[in-house]
Amino acid sequence: MLAFLFGVIAAYGQFRLPGWWLVLSAAPLALALIWLLARYPLARLIPIFLCGYLWACGHALWLHGVPLPESAQGVDLLIEGEVLGMPDNGPRRQRFLFMPTLMSQGEKPLAPPGRLRLSWYEADNPVRAGERWRLRVRLKSPHGMANPHTFDYEGWLWQQRIRAVGYVRSSTENRRLDSGHAPIDSLREGLRERLSLALDGRALGALIPALTIGDRAAMSDEQWRVLVDTGTNHLMAISGLHVGLVAGWAFFLMRWLWSRSGGALGLLPAPQAGALGGLAAALLYAAMAGFSIPTQRALAMIAVLMLAWLLRRTPTPSHTLALALGVVVVLDPPAVLAAGFWLSFVAVALLLYGMGARRHFPAEKGGRGLDPRRLWWRWGRAQWLLALGLTPLLLSLFQLAPISSPLANLIAVPWMGLVVVPTALLGTLALPLLPMLGEGLLWLSVGALELLWPLLVWLAETLPPLSLPEPPLWTLVPAVLGIAWMLAPAGWPNRWAGVLLLLPMLLFRPPGPAHGEAWLTLLDVGQGLAAAVRTENSLLMFDTGPRYSASFDTGRAVILPWMRGEGLSRIDTLVLSHGDNDHIGGARSLLQGVAVGQIYTSVPEKLPGLEYTLCRRGEVWMADGVRFRFIHPEGRWRGNDGSCVLRVESVHGAILLPGDIEVAAERALLGSGESLDADILIAPHHGSKSSSSARFIDAVAPEWLLYPVGYRNRYGHPHPQVVARYRARGITTASSVCGGALMLKPGEEGWQLQAWRVQYRRFWHAPFCDEID
């Protein structure tokens, strides 16, 4: 199973898939080699690896389906199809999955690309699960912000089988065709509405839908942060733990009830009846969660165990885990892209390794009560194992490891499993039939959460999670060996020495600029600007990108994860060039998330209650041998032309950060006597037609020109005339649309460009640009 898994991983590490002809022709060869090498188990691992690779490639080719034509993107299309799952209802918009069966562009029919993710703003008639609709929409191929150490949105869309995203247009053609037939999703939607009414006014009531129907939409960012910082966020999903608890309750209850009847025992032994009951309960619970992908993984693991009991088999725990792994990877190869896949299987493997075949502490003969040593072994040791054993994986995936996780889970897991989850599930099931009983149980469940929550908040504030730079892959191997050494059975020599193998991961620090050097990173924040200038010991952030909603901005989603992955914990200088949302939208999250030193801005009215300095021409400071100087504005400039303009001078050349200035400010700069020449220029105002005049370009004479623009942005940036001006002068250009985050560092042959979308390209990433201009 591990060989097959590594084959799947190899397939998902490619930037281009092989053709169907190679997959279909190589598959018989791999199967034949497995048969020929039947007597040589180790030799068979190679063709089994090949089978995993070919299976994943074939599955990915099948999922690719029919791509959305370039000509159909950004134009009105008419589609008919069915609403999938429960819509996400926001204050002003609905977001929902839609499976089209018909699609046309004008009179021209098109092949539907597959599952769509649509937003509908100010909808007159909200959609409901299972309904069939005719809609006027605009679509585009999936495209996400591409930055180091951040969430791969395109990879997530691939896992969810979403092949295009878009929005519903206001049109008289939008109408419901019929109510459809989706009993499970309709039931879940009805339960969500009942839960919302029953728990109205209880702040922690938002956690109940997450536990019962797998809907986390109502949870606040602050609630999720507390859970993540304490390592208890797994408790707010219908995960393997919860599915296992429900299956276990049903197993023991069914086995006990079955054993009360002699006639029933004559038909089927009680353990087999219990297994059927456990499997049925797990299926029901997974259905309540809408058979989400994490729930499918948990269900596969439970099903393997229950079916083994049904067949009167007693597989070893490691064989059970391997079979569950095989079922998940065969049915859903893209699962290897999900952090939850690795965390769930590694957690179970850790428990098997750290607690299997070990000496237990039985209660004393004739003694009554519970032996504390036995309690520690059964429960406390498990939390210690998971906290220690998952640390390398958590640091690799998120660059965070919650220090308070053992203590938080030691208390939260039994409290949730024995009190909160049972009352929440029973209350939810009783709500449609016995509303008074259901509401009482739900309020009891929320009351139990309210008793636990202050402890979690205290732990999150008192013991913040360990944050380290993203470790390279080569540090993961010794870390895994070190964990295995430390968790070896008693009597293993020098178990403490395993800590030494963790040191490469814990002590790793990414390389940084030398004294006098400046590194520029233009982060991909869509249609906006966020540029980082690093020196030997300091970081300057020039703008923070946009805020898209109350719960999503690029300060939290892009800049903070990037800083954490690079090992940066402080912003020494923050420049907010002007007040447009696409430049200042992420500032609040940054100020809340990390320490910030000096703040410069041209819009102090946007920073109430904060200490700041107006950026003014002539302001100069030094950092690690690098000179920073504002060369604009001077006097009463407003709007785009009032943007702070910063020139950075290092031993390898100059960088010019002009914000959103337009032609008027460019003329003022040309007449100011300031030195404008620079090796690197970020395109003024994203390359708009109202900026980048010919005289300004000639005065700067950059070697590199970077466009901070969003894919298919509504402004049409960069304008073709501006692009032509820069190209006519032989200036090398790069765009955040094509390259994602753009990193420029000095090298032996001048400035060297690293484009994240090119460097980390995978086959599910949309090929909008094959190369950087």
Side-chain angles (χ1 to χ4, degrees):
M1 289 303 176
L2 288 175
F4 189 90
L5 171 65
F6 285 128
V8 173
I9 294 171
Y12 274 86
Q14 302 176 110
F15 71 91
R16 184 179 292 116
L17 288 171
W20 271 113
W21 64 271
L22 179 61
V23 173
L24 295 177
S25 60
L29 175 61
L31 294 172
L33 284 173
I34 293 174
W35 179 73
L36 290 172
L37 298 172
R39 295 185 178 181
Y40 309 99
L42 290 178
R44 282 191 301 167
L45 295 181
I46 296 175
I48 290 173
F49 171 90
L50 182 59
C51 282
Y53 171 83
L54 295 172
W55 176 258
C57 289
H59 188 270
L61 289 168
W62 173 68
L63 283 183
H64 254 313
V66 181
L68 185 69
E70 184 69 24
S71 60
Q73 301 192 42
V75 299
D76 281 4
L77 303 173
L78 192 65
I79 60 174
E80 290 184 15
E82 178 184 353
V83 178
L84 302 178
M86 292 192 305
D88 176 11
N89 300 319
R92 294 181 54 250
R93 64 113 180 95
Q94 270 195 316
R95 180 173 288 154
F96 55 96
L97 298 180
F98 194 81
M99 179 58 77
T101 53
L102 296 174
M103 178 181 290
S104 62
Q105 181 181 356
E107 299 298 323
K108 178 184 176 183
L110 297 173
R115 186 179 296 186
L116 310 177
R117 191 176 193 230
L118 300 176
S119 297
W120 194 348
Y121 297 89
E122 308 291 354
D124 296 327
N125 298 298
V127 304
R128 297 183 68 87
E131 293 178 341
R132 288 187 56 79
W133 279 77
R134 177 181 294 128
L135 299 170
R136 176 70 62 179
V137 300
R138 285 193 177 178
L139 303 176
K140 62 180 180 180
S141 296
H143 186 281
M145 293 174 280
N147 298 280
H149 323 299
T150 59
F151 179 64
D152 184 356
Y153 176 63
E154 291 175 41
W156 178 82
L157 290 176
W158 173 264
Q159 293 175 60
Q160 304 300 315
R161 279 67 164 163
I162 296 169
R163 295 296 166 260
V165 298
Y167 62 95
V168 179
R169 299 268 288 166
S170 178
S171 172
T172 57
E173 294 175 289
N174 297 333
R175 68 173 183 268
R176 184 184 291 107
L177 300 178
D178 60 63
S179 58
H181 183 69
I184 293 177
D185 288 328
S186 297
L187 174 62
R188 294 177 67 230
E189 194 169 33
L191 287 174
R192 180 174 67 178
E193 293 171 357
R194 290 175 181 270
L195 287 170
S196 178
L197 291 173
L199 298 170
D200 187 33
R202 303 289 291 270
L204 293 178
L207 278 61
I208 300 300
L211 292 169
T212 55
I213 58 174
D215 180 29
R216 297 202 299 260
M219 290 178 60
S220 69
D221 292 336
E222 179 61 21
Q223 288 171 342
W224 188 248
R225 183 195 65 80
V226 169
L227 294 168
V228 170
D229 288 354
T230 55
T232 54
N233 51 314
H234 65 97
L235 298 175
M236 291 304 130
I238 299 183
S239 60
L241 174 63
H242 293 150
V243 176
L245 283 172
V246 170
W249 295 331
F251 172 83
F252 289 112
L253 178 62
M254 187 68 174
R255 187 179 68 174
W256 181 80
L257 291 173
W258 200 267
S259 65
R260 302 301 97 186
S261 169
L265 288 172
L267 296 173
L268 189 68
Q272 278 70 43
L276 281 174
L279 185 57
L283 276 168
L284 176 62
Y285 195 23
M288 288 180 65
F291 288 108
S292 63
I293 290 177
T295 310
Q296 291 176 29
R297 292 196 297 268
L299 183 60
M301 298 179 72
I302 298 298
V304 168
L305 183 60
M306 296 299 175
L307 289 173
W309 279 338
L310 275 173
L311 298 173
R312 302 184 185 184
R313 303 274 184 175
T314 54
T316 63
S318 59
H319 285 172
T320 303
L321 181 65
L323 284 171
L325 175 68
V327 169
V328 171
V329 174
V330 168
L331 295 181
D332 184 31
V336 299
L337 300 177
F341 169 86
W342 295 101
L343 290 171
S344 58
F345 279 104
V346 171
V348 176
L350 278 168
L351 292 175
L352 293 180
Y353 175 74
M355 302 187 75
R358 308 296 177 94
R359 182 172 64 88
H360 291 251
F361 293 96
E364 293 182 12
K365 253 187 184 180
R368 292 182 176 272
L370 296 173
D371 186 335
R373 296 177 302 168
R374 193 172 184 181
L375 280 177
W376 161 253
W377 177 271
R378 289 185 169 180
W379 193 242
R381 180 177 169 82
Q383 303 310 318
W384 157 251
L385 286 171
L386 294 177
L388 178 63
L390 290 178
T391 294
L393 185 58
L394 290 169
L395 290 176
S396 296
L397 293 173
F398 309 113
Q399 295 82 63
L400 284 174
I403 297 174
S404 61
S405 176
L407 180 57
N409 280 284
L410 185 67
I411 300 168
V413 171
W415 186 251
M416 295 289 293
L418 298 176
V419 181
V420 177
V421 174
T423 52
L425 281 175
L426 291 174
T428 302
L429 293 173
L431 205 56
L433 306 173
L434 300 168
M436 294 291 290
L437 175 62
E439 287 187 21
L441 288 169
L442 289 171
W443 277 66
L444 180 61
S445 181
V446 176
L449 273 173
E450 289 171 344
L451 290 175
L452 173 68
W453 195 255
L455 173 64
L456 298 182
V457 172
W458 180 80
L459 287 173
E461 294 174 351
T462 307
L463 297 172
L466 174 68
S467 177
L468 291 174
E470 181 173 353
L473 186 59
W474 64 264
T475 65
L476 191 58
V477 176
V480 170
L481 294 176
I483 293 293
W485 193 288
M486 294 170 67
L487 299 180
W492 191 269
N494 300 321
R495 286 190 295 174
W496 60 268
V499 176
L500 300 177
L501 294 174
L502 292 175
L503 293 180
M505 172 174 283
L506 298 177
L507 299 179
F508 171 77
R509 294 295 180 271
H515 188 78
E517 286 186 350
W519 291 5
L520 173 68
T521 301
L522 179 65
L523 293 168
D524 181 8
V525 292
Q527 183 63 22
L529 176 63
V533 179
R534 292 182 60 187
T535 64
E536 184 181 21
N537 297 300
S538 71
L539 170 66
L540 177 141
M541 280 301 310
F542 190 95
D543 287 338
T544 61
R547 182 185 185 191
Y548 290 96
S549 69
S551 60
F552 184 81
D553 65 74
T554 52
R556 179 185 299 137
V558 175
I559 301 175
L560 289 177
W562 173 79
M563 288 181 60
R564 190 164 57 240
E566 293 293 318
L568 304 170
S569 59
R570 172 184 170 84
I571 297 175
D572 298 275
T573 307
L574 174 62
V575 179
L576 302 172
S577 66
H578 66 298
D580 287 354
N581 173 62
D582 59 330
H583 292 251
I584 202 172
R588 187 63 59 182
S589 291
L590 279 190
L591 293 167
Q592 293 172 352
V594 293
V596 176
Q598 182 69 52
I599 301 175
Y600 289 97
T601 185
S602 65
V603 284
E605 66 276 10
K606 298 281 187 177
L607 306 173
L610 295 177
E611 295 185 7
Y612 61 87
T613 301
L614 288 174
C615 56
R616 284 288 181 258
R617 176 183 163 191
E619 182 84 26
V620 182
W621 72 96
M622 297 290 293
D624 305 318
V626 178
R627 185 172 185 263
F628 297 83
R629 176 180 173 86
F630 284 115
I631 61 175
H632 183 81
E634 183 183 40
R636 299 180 61 84
W637 290 86
R638 294 292 180 187
N640 287 342
D641 280 332
S643 296
C644 307
V645 178
L646 180 66
R647 189 168 186 267
V648 182
E649 301 172 16
S650 72
V651 295
H652 295 284
I655 302 168
L656 188 61
L657 304 162
D660 269 3
I661 63 169
E662 298 181 327
V663 172
E666 290 177 3
R667 289 199 197 102
L669 280 168
L670 289 168
S672 67
E674 292 281 356
S675 177
L676 296 181
D677 62 297
D679 298 86
I680 303 168
L681 171 66
I682 293 181
H685 199 193
H686 314 281
S688 73
K689 187 180 180 181
S690 60
S691 62
S692 295
S693 60
R695 286 184 59 211
F696 179 78
I697 297 173
D698 291 336
V700 179
E703 176 188 348
W704 286 92
L705 185 281
L706 308 182
Y707 292 111
V709 291
Y711 173 65
R712 291 188 171 273
N713 64 85
R714 58 178 174 164
Y715 309 102
H717 296 159
H719 195 276
Q721 292 180 11
V722 172
V723 173
R725 280 185 213 137
Y726 284 109
R727 285 184 174 173
R729 289 160 174 79
I731 297 168
T732 304
T733 63
S735 162
S736 58
V737 167
C738 297
L742 303 172
M743 294 152 277
L744 277 163
K745 302 176 183 179
E748 294 180 358
E749 300 179 0
W751 292 94
Q752 305 295 316
L753 175 70
Q754 295 177 0
W756 183 250
R757 189 173 284 277
V758 175
Q759 184 180 350
Y760 180 71
R761 184 168 175 182
R762 297 294 183 266
F763 63 80
W764 58 84
H765 292 149
F768 297 118
C769 305
D770 291 326
E771 60 183 22
I772 302 298
D773 294 328

